[in-house]
Amino acid sequence: MWKTASCLPCDLVRAAWFKPVSEKKLPKSVHNWVSLAGAVVAVVSGAIILFLLVINFLASITNPYLGILLYLVLPLALVAGLLLIPLGMYVRWRSLQKRGEVIRLKWPSIDLNKPRHRNASLVFLLGTLAFVLMSSVGIYQAYQFSDSVTFCGTTCHTIMKPEYTTYQHSPHARVKCVACHIGPGAGWYARSKLSGLYQVYATIANTYPRPIPNPIKYLRPLQEECLSCHWPAKFFGAMERHLDHYLYDKPNTPWPLVMLLKVGGGRPGTFRRQGIHWHTSPEIRVEYIATDKLRQNIPWVRVTDLGTGKSIVYRETGSKLSKEEPARAQAARVMDCIDCHNHPSHTFHSPDYEIDMAISNGGIDRGIPEIKRVAVKAMEKEYPSADEAAGRIENAITGFYRESYPQFFSKHQPLIANAVKAVQAAFSNSVFPSMRARWTNYPDNTAHFISRGCMRCHDGRHKSAAGTTIPNDCRTCHVILQQGSGRRMEQASDFEEGLDFRHPVDIGGLWKGGVCYECHSGTEP
């Protein structure tokens, strides 16, 4: 009957599975190659799963691809193998029926008085119980693994590298990704997994956007999630911020700025409507319309007092947004935490900020002449890849000091080498050429230094019909306590009034008639 070449393994399989009819203890339909293949796949997959589970319990698996193999791929192979067994039996039965070897498909009859039936039933029940138990453990482990930071950040390494790297340096580095991107509840979990199917397709087909767009269009509402830790009753009156800044001159002159941020005020059970967190007061609703995807251009704002029901609409002077458009489009968005804290866990810092921090924490020696300007210039350029960026940053910095400061370079090569490493590290933490992700693509709305941020509304150009204007006075949100260094240092004597801002570089009064982000872009002005 068999026309295949002689093969010892094949002969053994045939002898064990395809015995003569007189010797068969299983139904005729079981003896087919499809069912045999299913049994082999199921047994092998189950054995590998058990082996990896033992390893996982002894030493937790941290490799994302091994986790995918254990919790996603192998269980699917196991189930597929088990399904092949009855499928092969059905196909085999159809073949036997056509040849007249069986008349009709009979339902199995179980007689527990027969030892053979009792043993078979016992094996079936114990096997089913073991399979259900293993499936429950596997499903739970798969659920936990798919919610882990390792899975989210390292599975698609190239795509998620910018988000994963910046997340590790963020204030929320101990908060799981799913806390914000999925959150509790079966509804959002199912929705996120379904959207993940398209993301898998986009990854395989190489159609994913570069960089990843922001804000995320279908991100779950985060107001409640944010307030689970940062609830209004615990907002305090002010928060001191110490900003280290260095000028673009030869001595890298330090220009620290100490200010009080008026974040809000309150005590348990109350919330005073003042300070920055006034925008999220439970007694106020702020709505706005943005005309761009990044929500940087806001020509229309409506503020409603939920206690009285009174609303005030502010329109940007010179805006082309028609008076009918807000009502017609129903495009108004209710302001929540993310509208200002738009990068709470994925902040892409500018070269100016990164080099300031590197000098401040000692990674770069401030005694290297012009290092602030040279480092920022080397970091701000666009490079085709991270590896090429590292090499060209090193060449740019060492080449500059070799030519412009030859004596300093010969005496202080270790300082310059350390500076190069610090700049390379700063670049790798904030700029990602493969995904075209850099600070210019991700504006930060918590400030107004290099992007519009607060001044999207607080620019002095948003007025109501009654003539009131959204305030744009500096002291509305912060009070300067100290600025400058050396002989130019100023310190406030009145913490309520503070100091008038003084530009570190003398540009006359030009800065008074403009805004920071019009000149500052995160690089040398």
Side-chain angles (χ1 to χ4, degrees), residues 12 131 258 436 525:
L12 293 176
F131 178 76
V258 182
R436 302 171 190 167

Side-chain angles (χ1 to χ4, degrees), residues 71 134 320 346 391 399 449 491:
Y71 299 123
M134 289 179 59
K320 297 181 180 180
H346 308 289
F449 186 57
Q491 192 165 358

Side-chain angles (χ1 to χ4, degrees), residues 248 351 373 375-383 393 427 431 438-439 522-524:
Y248 290 88
R373 183 181 65 81
V376 169
K377 188 176 181 179
M379 184 177 169
E380 72 178 74
K381 295 180 179 180
E382 294 191 29
Y383 301 103
I393 286 173
F427 184 92
V431 184
R438 58 200 332 251
W439 75 99
T523 60
E524 183 178 5

Side-chain angles (χ1 to χ4, degrees), residues 17 30 32-44 77 80-82 84-85:
W17 193 264
V30 175
N32 64 86
W33 285 108
V34 176
S35 297
L36 173 60
V40 171
V41 170
V43 171
V44 172
L82 293 176
L84 282 176
I85 296 175

Side-chain angles (χ1 to χ4, degrees), residues 106 211 260 364 408:
K106 295 182 179 180
L260 287 178
I364 296 177
F408 184 90

Side-chain angles (χ1 to χ4, degrees), residues 77-189:
L78 174 61
V79 173
L82 293 176
L83 292 177
L84 282 176
I85 296 175
L87 176 63
M89 292 176 64
Y90 175 76
V91 173
R92 175 66 172 167
W93 171 79
R94 295 277 301 188
S95 176
L96 293 174
Q97 188 184 45
K98 288 181 180 180
R99 295 203 301 263
E101 296 184 28
V102 294
I103 300 175
R104 61 185 180 86
L105 182 63
K106 295 182 179 180
W107 289 99
S109 60
I110 301 176
D111 186 355
L112 298 180
N113 292 315
K114 298 179 179 180
R116 180 180 173 186
H117 286 199
R118 285 200 306 271
N119 294 337
S121 300
L122 182 61
V123 170
F124 176 78
L125 290 175
L126 292 178
T128 302
L129 180 62
F131 178 76
V132 171
L133 180 61
M134 289 179 59
S135 299
S136 300
V137 174
I139 291 172
Y140 177 76
Q141 291 289 348
Y143 169 81
Q144 292 286 1
F145 177 71
S146 65
D147 276 2
S148 67
V149 174
T150 300
F151 178 82
C152 296
T154 61
T155 301
C156 300
H157 180 69
T158 300
I159 302 174
M160 296 308 299
K161 184 178 180 180
E163 281 69 27
Y164 184 58
T165 302
T166 52
Y167 159 80
Q168 291 176 301
H169 296 90
S170 76
H172 296 103
R174 294 296 179 267
V175 179
K176 286 187 175 182
C177 309
V178 294
C180 297
H181 289 271
I182 298 178
W188 281 103
Y189 179 83

